[in-house]
């Protein structure tokens, strides 16, 4: 009896962080006055603007650098960033949508089994680190794709990587390692 | 000002504090030599440094003074920040203090001499490492504690980070950072302390001997340790230990053990907080919750005891039967799985579906968002795949929520709240959720579908022919009580085809821009608020 060797896993993207530049100076006071859904953080020198569709929060600096967070896919992040740039254009700034880049993607993946973390850490040193007194998850770093995985004993894995493709790669690489250390219920 | 012990020139102890113009000096009355000068402070500890055997008795004290340091300022420093490249140079004041701190901690924790020597050598190594050379004094103080902790773990000595940070009165966050850096930079491996290792040391901190408490409350340490160890093992299986701080669990376990070893009326009437006061141990806040969880776990197993069938087991009375429950816990766990788990299901599926891989395939949703992130990995079949593994896998498949519902028969499933489902590839066998258990997955929108199915449907999990489907008796709290996710609107839940380069219409943007009236009102309100604030600040 040959087992079916294909396994499919859900990877749910929960957050995408992207940056872009407008190549012009932005008057934060004017944005705070004329924009709705805007919070002016004077102490930090930035303005927070929230869009409804897609649901993102943008931090706007007067230098023209903008960070958008909260999107659930790379395409959504780009659309939200463009909407934001368009909004700033409507406010009267000579905005150009340049140097758009997705810098961080956060995803969650649930394994269909529980994981024995001490065993996982032992067999994957020094890439894996587990300090139960500090954090309930084991931290596993993959250097070449710059991915960080938090492996919980419930089987849930949180992956952070620069883009979605790396996230898939990270989960693919980690799956056999966690599968070896799965918890078998009596 | 405390006088120094003796003059290095003549050995006399007659030393007075004198000052030469504005510079404070310690001068020997008998021979007139200057013992120390130019020090910014004249505390006893500072002076004693110069009088200890570690210091070079032939060096001039002025070299170590403020003036001396100014003279050396123009010399070139090495990359590590040191003035000299000598490897045999004598340790500096802070290093000596750090070593003393390490020794003191080792004595308090009663380390054997070998462990203490390892701690001291590790501290010396870490102190001279470039990563810890230019750091603040606070970090260096914490470094001593981290070295002790690391070596303690290497020798399987039961000591927690919390203990050491409270002994040093250090910030736990700082301690954590320094410890992780130490492990990374020095490449030292240390297995984390497991909770079972901590049981004995924690039990011994409870003062329950006949000398300190009345007879009816006193308890033998070894019995307490045995019972508490069994309880902690059960807690480990019941998902009470994972991700939680060990000390509250240990306190709750010791209390339950104490109750169950002699469940007389005075003991049963003693609450957890009173017990901790009696035993002279601080009560951590989460201990009450951990105690309730332990009692619930015991109740779940206790229901299977034949002589307790029909008896209403609740948290208050379960302590009386804890001994029996712990003695037979393996059997009780199996029975509980049979009776409290799923119902029997006959297997009509084909053989390949019995494998672990198939069970895992069950946890998939058909793609709806068009984004194809296909993830395929190889799964090696475990040799002699037994019921147990399948149960675990099947149960775990249930645990992933209502994913099973969106099987291949269904087509697209509403996307889970909280994000776009990137992918699933179609499974060979679709799996419906278990009948008896309202599966509370972490995926909210699918949850509704699951719950509406109710107990009527029969699960068709892949199982060996004639086998029983069992699910674990104990589930992680995050699966039993999943966090509530906000309901997204239907359009989002169905998922949109987004490319990122769509046209953006003006109407979409106008909602984010204020009308001129709104701007005027906002500006007026802002100015009024500023005036009020200015008045208030002037008034105060």
């Amino acid at each position: 009896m040959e087992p079916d060797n294909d396994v499919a896993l859900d990877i749910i993207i929960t957050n995408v962080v992207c940056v872009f530049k407008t190549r012009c100076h932005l008057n934060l006071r004017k944005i705070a006055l004329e924009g709705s859904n805007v919070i002016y953080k004077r102490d930090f020198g930035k303005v927070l603007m929230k869009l409804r569709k897609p649901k993102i929060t943008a931090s706007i600096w007067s230098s023209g650098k903008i960070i958008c967070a909260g999107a659930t896919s790379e395409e959504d992040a780009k659309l939200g960033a463009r909407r934001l740039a368009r909004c700033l254009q409507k406010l009267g700034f000579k905005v150009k949508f340049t140097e758009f880049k997705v810098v961080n993607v956060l995803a969650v993946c649930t394994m269909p089994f529980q994981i024995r973390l001490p065993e996982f850490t032992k067999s994957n040193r020094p890439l894996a680190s587990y300090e139960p007194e500090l954090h309930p998850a084991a931290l596993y770093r993959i250097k070449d794709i710059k991915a960080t995985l938090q492996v919980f004993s419930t089987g849930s894995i949180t992956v952070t990587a620069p883009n979605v493709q790396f996230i898939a790669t990270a989960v693919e690489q980690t799956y056999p390692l966690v599968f070896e250390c799965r918890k078998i219920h009596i | 000002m405390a006088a120094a012990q003796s003059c290095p020139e003549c050995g006399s102890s007659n030393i007075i504090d004198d000052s030469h113009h504005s510079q404070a000096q310690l001068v020997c009355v008998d021979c007139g030599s200057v013992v120390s000068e130019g020090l910014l402070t004249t505390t006893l500890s500072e002076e004693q440094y110069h009088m200890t055997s570690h210091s070079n008795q032939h060096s001039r004290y002025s070299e170590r003074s403020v003036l001396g340091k100014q003279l050396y300022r123009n010399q070139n420093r090495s990359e590590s920040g040191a003035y000299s490249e000598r490897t045999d140079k004598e340790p500096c004041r802070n290093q000596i203090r750090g070593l003393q701190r390490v020794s003191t901690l080792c004595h308090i924790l009663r380390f054997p001499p070998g462990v203490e020597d390892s701690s001291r050598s590790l501290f010396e190594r870490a102190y001279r490492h470039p990563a810890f050379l230019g750091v603040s004094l606070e970090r260096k103080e914490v470094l001593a504690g981290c070295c002790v902790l690391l070596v303690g773990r290497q020798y399987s000595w039961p000591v927690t980070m919390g203990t050491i940070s409270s002994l040093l009165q250090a910030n736990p966050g700082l301690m954590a950072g320094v410890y992780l850096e130490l492990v990374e930079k020095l490449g030292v491996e240390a297995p984390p302390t497991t909770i079972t290792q901590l049981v004995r040391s924690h039990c011994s901190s409870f003062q329950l001997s006949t000398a300190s408490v009345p007879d009816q409350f006193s308890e033998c340490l070894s019995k307490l340790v045995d019972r508490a160890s069994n309880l902690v093992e059960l807690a480990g299986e019941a998902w009470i230990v994972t991700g939680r701080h060990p000390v509250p669990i240990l306190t709750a376990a010791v209390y339950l053990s104490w109750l169950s070893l002699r469940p007389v009326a005075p003991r049963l009437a003693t609450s957890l907080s009173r017990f901790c006061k009696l035993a002279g141990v601080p009560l951590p806040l989460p201990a009450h919750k951990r105690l309730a969880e332990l009692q619930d776990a015991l109740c779940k197993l206790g229901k299977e005891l034949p002589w307790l069938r029909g008896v209403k087991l609740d948290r208050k009375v379960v302590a009386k039967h804890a001994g029996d429950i712990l003695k037979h816990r393996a059997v009780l766990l199996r029975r509980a799985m049979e009776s409290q788990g799923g119902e029997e299901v006959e297997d009509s599926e084909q053989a390949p579906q019995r494998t672990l891989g198939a069970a895992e395939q069950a946890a998939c949703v058909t793609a709806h968002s068009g984004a194809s992130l296909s993830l395929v990995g190889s799964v090696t079949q475990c040799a002699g795949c037994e019921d147990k593994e399948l149960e675990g896998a099947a149960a775990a498949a249930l645990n992933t929520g209502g994913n099973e519902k969106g099987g291949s028969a269904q087509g697209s499933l509403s996307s889970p709240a909280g994000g776009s489902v990137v992918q699933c590839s179609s499974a060979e066998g679709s799996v419906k959720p278990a009948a008896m258990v309202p599966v509370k997955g972490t995926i909210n929108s699918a949850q509704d579908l699951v719950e509406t199915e109710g107990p009527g449907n029969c699960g068709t999990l892949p199982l060996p022919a004639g086998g029983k489907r069992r699910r674990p008796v104990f589930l992680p709290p995050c699966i039993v009580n999943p966090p509530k996710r906000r309901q997204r609107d239907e359009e989002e839940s169905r998922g949109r085809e987004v490319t990122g380069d769509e046209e953006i219409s003006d109407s979409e943007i106008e909602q984010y821009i204020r009308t001129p009236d709104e701007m005027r009102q906002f500006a007026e309100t802002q100015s009024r608020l500023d005036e009020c604030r200015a008045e208030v600040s002037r008034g105060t």
Side-chain angles (χ1 to χ4, degrees), chain B residues 196-403:
Chain B
T196 37
Q197 288 172 313
L198 298 170
V199 173
R200 177 161 278 275
S201 58
H202 195 75
C203 285
S204 55
S205 63
F206 283 76
Q207 291 149 22
L208 293 171
S209 60
T210 41
S212 33
V213 292
D215 272 341
Q216 57 196 354
F217 294 137
S218 69
E219 196 56 67
C220 164
L221 179 66
S222 54
K223 282 189 200 166
L224 200 63
V225 167
D226 287 336
R227 186 60 63 90
S229 304
N230 290 337
L231 265 172
V232 162
E233 269 178 43
L234 177 66
E237 279 180 40
W239 291 97
I240 297 173
V241 171
T242 306
R244 271 91 175 265
H245 205 278
V247 175
I249 303 170
L250 290 168
T251 311
V254 171
Y255 169 67
L256 258 184
S257 319
W258 176 78
L259 279 182
S260 65
L261 281 168
R262 223 196 325 167
V264 292
R267 283 201 188 188
L268 290 172
T270 311
S271 68
L272 175 62
S273 38
R274 216 178 132 229
F275 167 72
C276 289
K277 255 189 219 164
L278 198 72
V281 163
L283 172 67
L285 283 172
H288 289 282
K289 282 191 210 160
R290 301 293 100 83
L291 177 67
E293 285 166 0
L294 268 172
Q295 286 166 333
D296 288 340
L298 284 170
C299 288
K300 254 189 181 169
L301 291 185
K303 278 184 207 161
E304 302 305 319
L305 278 174
W307 54 90
L308 289 181
R309 289 245 165 83
V311 173
K312 195 186 166 201
L313 258 189
D314 62 5
R315 286 177 189 171
K316 288 183 185 164
V317 296
V318 78
K320 287 188 208 168
H321 309 286
D324 291 333
I325 296 170
L326 289 171
K327 197 171 162 190
H328 306 287
R329 63 180 184 276
V331 174
L332 292 177
L333 203 58
R334 201 177 274 275
R335 276 204 190 163
M337 250 196 289
E338 286 169 20
S339 63
Q340 294 171 33
E343 50 187 30
E344 270 189 51
V345 174
E346 282 191 3
D347 182 42
S348 55
E349 307 279 5
Q350 289 173 17
Q353 287 185 337
R354 279 198 235 164
T355 63
L356 214 56
E360 284 151 13
Q361 280 180 14
C364 73
V365 180
T366 52
H368 62 85
S369 66
S372 55
L373 189 65
S374 172
L375 186 66
V376 175
S378 61
V379 175
T380 52
Q381 187 198 8
C382 24
C385 183
E386 296 173 3
D387 272 1
K388 304 171 190 180
E389 287 188 25
L390 210 50
E391 285 153 25
L398 292 172
N399 295 344
T400 55
N403 284 347

Side-chain angles (χ1 to χ4, degrees), chain A residues 1-15 31-38 42 49-55 72-76 78-79 82-84 86-88 90-91 109-115 117-118 125-126 129-136 153-155 164-165 167-169 171-172 175-176 179 182-186, chain B residues 153 160-162 176 179-180 189-192 236-237 239 242-243 333 337 351-352 355-357 360-361 363-365 373-382 388-389 391-393 396-397 399-400 403 416 418-425 428 442-443 472 476 478 486 488 491 496 498-502 504 506 508-509 511-514 519 522-523:
Chain A
M1 173 179 72
E2 271 301 314
D4 188 352
N5 281 342
D6 285 352
V7 162
L9 289 167
D10 279 345
I11 302 177
I12 301 165
I13 298 179
T14 51
N15 193 20
I31 297 173
L33 176 68
E34 296 181 14
S36 60
N37 290 5
V38 161
R42 207 169 298 185
M49 189 164 193
K50 301 196 186 212
L51 299 187
R52 280 182 216 109
K53 230 191 291 184
K55 199 159 189 285
T72 54
S73 70
E74 289 185 348
E75 294 79 20
D76 257 355
K78 188 168 185 188
L79 182 63
R82 283 178 57 233
R83 280 220 173 108
L84 189 74
R86 183 66 168 272
C87 185
L88 291 174
K90 283 259 169 195
L91 288 176
C109 178
T110 307
M111 299 288 158
F113 46 78
Q114 281 82 51
I115 302 164
L117 293 182
R125 281 199 190 117
S129 140
Y130 176 46
E131 286 299 326
E133 290 182 63
L134 300 178
H135 191 61
S153 56
T154 54
V164 174
Q165 195 52 47
I167 287 198
T169 315
V171 177
E172 256 185 66
Y175 183 87
F179 186 76
R182 68 192 184 284
K183 202 179 253 190
I184 296 160
H185 293 280
I186 50 163
Chain B
R153 283 187 174 178
T160 61
M161 208 178 279
Y179 180 79
L180 291 171
E189 286 183 12
E237 279 180 40
W239 291 97
T242 306
L333 203 58
M337 250 196 289
T355 63
L356 214 56
E360 284 151 13
Q361 280 180 14
C364 73
V365 180
L373 189 65
S374 172
L375 186 66
V376 175
S378 61
V379 175
T380 52
Q381 187 198 8
C382 24
K388 304 171 190 180
E389 287 188 25
E391 285 153 25
N399 295 344
T400 55
N403 284 347
S420 61
V421 174
V422 179
Q423 162 69 351
C424 185
S425 66
E428 272 187 20
T442 52
I443 297 167
C478 63
R486 260 176 288 141
R488 303 274 179 139
E491 191 197 325
R496 299 164 292 146
V498 177
T499 58
D501 294 314
E502 287 99 334
I504 298 169
D506 282 354
E508 288 170 353
I509 303 302
Q511 60 181 314
Y512 298 116
I513 298 174
R514 288 193 172 120
M519 279 188 233
F522 180 76

